[in-house]
Amino acid sequence: MTAVFIVLFGFMLLGVPVAFAIMSSGMAYLVSTGTSFLVVAQRLIYGLNSFTLLAVPLFILVGNLMDYGGISKRLTDWAKSLLGWLPGGLGIVTVFSCAIFAALTGSGPATVAAIGSIMLPSMKKAGYSEDSSAGLVAAAGALGPIIPPSIPMIIYGVTMNLSIPAMFVAGITPGLVIAIALSLVNIIFAYRNPEVLKHAHDMKFDFKHSLKMFWKALGALGLPVLILGGIYGGVFTPTESAAVGIVYALIVGFALKELKVKDLPRILISSLKTSTMVNFIIAAASLFSWVISKSQVGVAISNGFISLVGGSQSMYLFVLVVILLVVGCLMDNVAATLILAPILIPVGVSLGCNQLHIGMLFCICLVVGFVTPPFGYNLFTAVSISGLNFKRIVKGTIPFLLTEIVLLFVFAYVPGIITWLPSLMGYNF
């Protein structure tokens, strides 16, 4: 079994795409045990044989339709008219634009690209440094997979047989808490930078203008209401809601004259590329999960983990957060969920942890990994839209990333932040 992990991490360090690294490690086990290679095809098909997983490519398409349809500009204009006059107003606008756009796409990098490309020039003009503005966008982009709908939550729910609607509800409060915390850090930054404060004082709140911007953004704001309302109203499943979202995004895009027929091939190809990558990782991880189960190494790791935490729930939560932060910045979150969740989560359940609480904590920790160097996806997206080098992006992200890490431990030891809203809505865990 040692050869399996050598192949897995060796290939990843060499820059081999994670799906191929995972599949190669699984095949190394088959070779070492003399098992038929027919298992590869069987496990790849089995890994994708889920109706719920159909929601993944559908939500990716929804996000791309809304992005290409110019929705992000309408959202930021409305947020700017509402919050731009506050101290550090444009930073707050950036955070809450990311939060709203997150409810449309469920993707961290997509949120960074869409909102960052609009807000970065405005923030620079308002006195923000290039480092800080890009760092804030990268950190706020982590809200994408936390505020529902969320692709990582769908993957986790399918893997661990946990209610996806319950996870969607559970993501709302932590997402808003992170958004408020990032805004507060931004305000502190603003008070330490006179140029930023001066720009805020030059802006005035105009109720009529804000109402006009709200009306323009109303079509976009209706999407999360439609999706989440339909799910919790029992009208359709999460997968069906994604299909409904596609129809709605097309209608809104064409009605606003922001989406053109000529854009559709490019949108479909982009969605196909992303969906194929995610599904390939899911299929490859299914083979690796089979190897872990067959070799009983998962049991050995679980036992070692229990010994490490000494049977203490508090120590388990601490170690879980630390491990997932490291894994989140090194490995794709889909692969990390499929490989680690079946190993680490049962340990927490056996120690008395709430299943929904640790499931959400698992997802949020991996998502914060998007902002964690050296391989955080959001960081590389911020590099591409800002033109800054990677080192400067990381420097600008640090105060916001530290805030998110502190909140992870708050979520770990105050489970009610995650579980109170699902309990209020009747989900019993």
Side-chain angles (χ1 to χ4, degrees):
M1 194 62 197
T2 304
V4 172
F5 287 101
I6 291 175
V7 171
L8 174 63
F9 293 111
F11 277 12
M12 289 178 65
L13 289 173
L14 290 173
V16 175
V18 65
F20 290 103
I22 294 171
M23 188 178 295
S24 298
S25 63
M27 293 175 72
Y29 174 81
L30 299 181
V31 170
S32 65
T33 58
T35 306
S36 171
F37 273 84
L38 288 174
V39 172
V40 176
Q42 292 170 353
R43 298 311 303 182
L44 293 181
I45 294 172
Y46 177 82
L48 295 174
N49 187 23
S50 169
F51 174 73
T52 307
L53 285 178
L54 182 60
V56 174
L58 295 181
F59 274 125
I60 289 172
L61 179 55
V62 170
N64 283 335
L65 285 170
M66 299 301 277
D67 187 15
Y68 280 88
I71 297 301
S72 52
K73 179 71 166 59
R74 292 173 178 265
L75 292 174
T76 53
D77 285 346
W78 172 57
K80 194 182 297 184
S81 70
L82 196 65
L83 302 169
W85 59 275
L86 295 170
L90 285 187
I92 300 173
V93 168
T94 299
V95 172
F96 280 92
S97 294
C98 286
I100 298 169
F101 197 73
L104 304 179
T105 66
S107 167
T111 302
V112 172
I115 303 302
S117 59
I118 297 170
M119 292 305 303
L120 284 181
S122 299
M123 292 178 72
K124 291 174 188 176
K125 291 178 182 177
Y128 283 83
S129 69
E130 291 184 329
D131 299 1
S132 297
S133 54
L136 177 59
V137 170
L143 295 169
I146 297 174
I147 296 177
S150 166
I151 292 172
M153 291 179 196
I154 294 172
I155 303 299
Y156 183 94
V158 172
T159 304
M160 300 304 295
N161 194 30
L162 190 62
S163 168
I164 294 171
M167 294 188 74
F168 279 5
V169 177
I172 295 173
T173 304
L176 293 177
V177 169
I178 292 174
I180 292 170
L182 292 178
S183 298
L184 291 175
V185 173
N186 164 73
I187 290 172
I188 294 171
F189 171 84
Y191 274 107
R192 296 175 62 184
N193 291 268
E195 282 295 318
V196 177
L197 279 181
K198 180 179 180 298
H199 183 273
H201 291 151
D202 292 340
M203 296 186 67
K204 304 297 182 184
F205 176 71
D206 186 330
F207 178 76
K208 288 185 178 179
H209 178 66
S210 181
L211 194 61
K212 182 181 178 181
M213 292 299 102
F214 171 75
W215 179 255
K216 286 187 174 183
L218 190 59
L221 297 172
L223 179 61
V225 174
L226 175 66
I227 290 177
L228 299 179
I231 293 173
Y232 303 129
V235 180
F236 35 68
T237 66
T239 303
E240 292 166 346
S241 74
V244 171
I246 291 173
V247 176
Y248 182 87
L250 286 169
I251 292 173
V252 170
F254 285 124
L256 296 176
K257 298 181 181 179
E258 299 277 4
L259 191 64
K260 305 290 189 295
V261 173
K262 66 180 182 180
D263 295 328
L264 293 180
R266 182 173 50 167
I267 293 171
L268 291 171
I269 290 171
S270 175
S271 302
L272 179 62
K273 288 179 179 178
T274 306
S275 303
T276 302
M277 178 184 68
V278 172
N279 283 328
F280 194 9
I281 293 172
I282 293 172
S286 176
L287 172 63
F288 191 83
S289 297
W290 179 84
V291 169
I292 293 292
S293 174
K294 192 75 173 176
S295 64
Q296 295 296 302
V297 71
V299 176
I301 294 174
S302 295
N303 291 336
F305 197 56
I306 291 173
S307 299
L308 176 65
V309 302
S312 166
Q313 185 182 111
S314 297
M315 182 58 69
Y316 165 81
L317 292 171
F318 178 84
V319 174
L320 181 69
V321 170
V322 172
I323 289 175
L324 293 177
L325 273 174
V326 174
V327 170
C329 72
L330 297 175
M331 185 183 293
D332 181 88
N333 67 332
V334 174
T337 298
L338 293 166
I339 293 171
L340 294 178
I343 296 173
L344 301 180
I345 296 302
V347 175
V349 174
S350 69
L351 293 174
C353 293
N354 180 285
Q355 188 177 359
L356 179 62
H357 171 230
I358 56 174
M360 286 302 303
L361 184 64
F362 188 100
C363 292
I364 296 171
C365 286
L366 290 180
V367 165
V368 173
F370 284 3
V371 196
T372 308
F375 300 118
Y377 288 169
N378 285 10
L379 299 177
F380 291 111
T381 307
V383 168
S384 67
I385 63 170
S386 68
L388 302 178
N389 63 47
F390 185 78
K391 184 177 179 180
R392 290 185 64 184
I393 296 291
V394 172
K395 179 184 175 183
T397 304
I398 287 175
F400 306 108
L401 174 59
L402 291 176
T403 301
E404 292 179 335
I405 291 175
V406 169
L407 287 176
L408 288 180
F409 288 102
V410 174
F411 297 152
Y413 294 111
V414 188
I417 297 175
I418 291 174
T419 59
W420 77 273
L421 189 56
S423 298
L424 190 66
M425 295 187 65
Y427 293 100
N428 297 315
F429 285 91

